[in-house]
């Protein structure tokens, strides 16, 4: 009796140990990861499928607009099923951070793969691709030698010749936030007043529409994210191709602080239940293989310049990027919006 009781005990102990101790807990509970994504499905899904193929971890994705996802995360609180938030613009990631819906995760691998100026300093979000806000000019009316910087577009010679989208757009808010960080508020206000007075028309449409307006002769220069031009060049739509062929890209501020850049990025949510899988997915997205695919597919730049870029991007030549920490773009967002408002930028 004594012996069989102790045998029974041994068997039970063995089962418990093998369930809890020996089998890695992660592999039992973390065979999936849930992501809220503000990217078009086609721009990320194949990469997530590849991750599942490699790791056996299933990825469930909800796609929506960035601001809507943030609202959803806020209202769901700790009950949110999301482990990760993927969105564009450091301004938005900073808002998510401020809203308390993200948490800091530490990883030597991530810190190693993602340059320090492209992530939040406490690990709440990590940049996955780089987008540059560039000048696009009409090849038949502007010589590249006439262009230099964002700042110079406020000079009287550009009166009625500049196209840019609305100040409600976060890309422009981040551009101005970056200007505040590097030039200070007084110079930024002066620049804004000059720039707004040079607008060819009241801001309307997205970045592609500004490129089309330059091509159509409504303005001579526009400030846009470079990937829109890349997408138009490789578009199957003849109208977009034609418009893209009439313009060229200019890298602003090469003699000074460098061209303004921003990121698409990702952060682990505060409510995350699959933290290890989530970290594994971020690491995968930051790997050379993913970086090349993701940047190519989006016509953006990898976060490391050691990763090869597409022939379209290569044709634009290399450029000096502003190395300000993108957190500053979020930190100065509210001030930027107020300054744009005061300048009458609709
Ligand atoms: Fe965009």
């Amino acid at each position: 009796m004594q012996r069989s009781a102790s045998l029974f005990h041994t068997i039970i102990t063995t089962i418990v140990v093998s369930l809890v101790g020996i089998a890695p807990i992660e592999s039992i509970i973390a065979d999936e990861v849930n992501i809220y994504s503000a990217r078009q499905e086609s721009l990320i899904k194949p990469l997530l499928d590849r991750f599942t193929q490699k790791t056996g971890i299933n990825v469930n994705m909800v796609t929506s607009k960035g601001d809507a996802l943030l609202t959803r995360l806020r209202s769901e609180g700790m009950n949110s099923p999301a482990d990760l938030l993927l969105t564009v613009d450091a301004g938005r990631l900073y808002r998510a951070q401020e809203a308390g819906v993200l948490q800091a995760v530490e990883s030597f691998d991530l810190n190693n793969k993602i340059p320090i100026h492209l992530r939040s300093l406490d690990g709440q979000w990590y940049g996955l691709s780089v987008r540059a806000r560039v000048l696009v000019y009409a090849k038949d009316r502007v010589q590249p030698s006439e262009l230099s910087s964002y700042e110079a577009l406020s000079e009287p010679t550009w009166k009625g010749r500049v196209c840019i989208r609305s100040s409600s757009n976060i890309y422009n808010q981040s551009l101005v936030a970056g200007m505040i960080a590097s030039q200070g508020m007084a110079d930024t206000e002066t620049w804004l007043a000059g720039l707004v007075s040079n607008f060819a028309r009241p801001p309307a449409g997205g970045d592609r529409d500004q490129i089309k307006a330059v091509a159509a002769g409504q303005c001579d220069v526009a400030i846009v994210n470079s990937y829109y031009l890349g997408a138009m060049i490789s578009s199957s739509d003849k109208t977009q191709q034609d418009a893209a062929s009439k313009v060229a890209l200019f890298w602003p501020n090469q003699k000074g602080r460098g061209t303004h850049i921003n990121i698409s990025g990702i952060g682990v949510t505060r409510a995350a239940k699959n933290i290890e899988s989530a970290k594994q997915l971020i690491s995968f997205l930051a790997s050379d293989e993913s970086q090349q695919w993701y940047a190519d597919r989006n016509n953006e730049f990898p976060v490391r310049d050691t990763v090869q870029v597409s022939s379209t991007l290569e044709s634009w030549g290399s450029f000096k990027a502003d190395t300000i920490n993108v957190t500053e773009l979020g930190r100065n967002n509210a001030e930027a919006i107020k300054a744009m408002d005061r300048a009458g930028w609709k």
Side-chain angles (χ1 to χ4, degrees), residues 39 88 92 131 133 165 169 171 207 225 227-228 300:
R39 300 226 76 161
V88 299
R92 274 210 190 87
R131 55 260 311 280
R133 204 142 179 80
R165 71 200 287 184
N169 171 256
Y171 306 154
D207 281 0
N225 281 359
Y227 57 83
Y228 288 109
E300 292 180 61

Side-chain angles (χ1 to χ4, degrees), residues 123-317:
Q124 292 209 31
W125 43 266
Y126 293 88
L128 292 178
S129 64
V130 167
R131 55 260 311 280
R133 204 142 179 80
V134 300
L135 308 188
V136 162
Y137 62 93
K139 286 196 280 199
D140 61 345
R141 300 187 300 281
V142 177
Q143 291 300 314
S145 59
E146 297 170 65
L147 296 165
S148 58
S149 62
Y150 307 105
E151 286 82 345
L153 290 182
S154 70
E155 287 163 10
T157 161
W158 294 101
K159 188 123 235 135
R161 301 170 70 192
V162 179
C163 274
I164 189 164
R165 71 200 287 184
S166 151
S167 62
S168 64
N169 171 256
I170 192 130
Y171 306 154
N172 284 337
Q173 294 169 7
S174 288
L175 175 73
V176 175
M179 180 91 65
I180 293 171
S182 66
Q183 320 285 82
M185 185 50 105
D187 284 1
T188 302
E189 297 247 37
T190 308
W191 173 70
L192 278 169
L195 182 75
V196 171
S197 74
N198 286 343
F199 284 179
R201 54 173 196 178
D207 281 0
R208 279 179 209 248
D209 298 304
Q210 315 312 315
I211 298 172
K212 287 180 197 162
V214 172
Q218 289 176 283
C219 34
D220 292 338
V221 62
I223 303 179
V224 298
N225 281 359
S226 59
Y227 57 83
Y228 288 109
L229 181 61
M232 287 171 74
I233 289 170
S234 49
S235 169
S236 52
D237 175 357
K238 184 92 172 56
T239 337
Q240 296 209 27
Q241 256 183 49
D242 282 352
S245 71
K246 293 190 175 115
V247 305
L249 178 148
F250 184 86
W251 297 111
N253 296 65
Q254 292 304 285
K255 293 208 173 101
R257 63 191 158 110
T259 297
H260 168 79
I261 57 163
N262 209 314
I263 55 165
S264 77
I266 195 164
V268 174
T269 67
R270 205 157 89 82
K273 282 142 202 98
N274 305 300
I275 295 175
E276 283 314 310
S277 299
K279 281 168 74 174
Q280 234 179 297
L281 178 54
I282 304 177
S283 273
F284 171 76
L285 293 172
S287 69
D288 278 11
E289 176 197 351
S290 305
Q291 279 292 301
Q292 193 170 353
W293 186 91
Y294 190 63
D296 273 5
R297 188 69 191 75
N298 296 294
N299 287 292
E300 292 180 61
F301 296 90
V303 292
R304 292 183 300 283
D305 51 18
T306 49
V307 178
Q308 244 207 308
V309 298
S310 73
S311 54
T312 303
L313 300 193
E314 214 155 60
S315 74
W316 294 336

Side-chain angles (χ1 to χ4, degrees), residues 10-39:
T10 306
I11 290 167
I12 293 296
T13 307
T14 307
I15 291 169
V16 169
V17 164
S18 63
L19 277 178
V20 177
I22 298 168
I25 300 263
E26 290 87 345
S27 74
I28 296 171
I29 58 168
D31 52 0
E32 65 170 14
V33 62
N34 302 306
I35 177 166
Y36 281 2
S37 164
R39 300 226 76 161

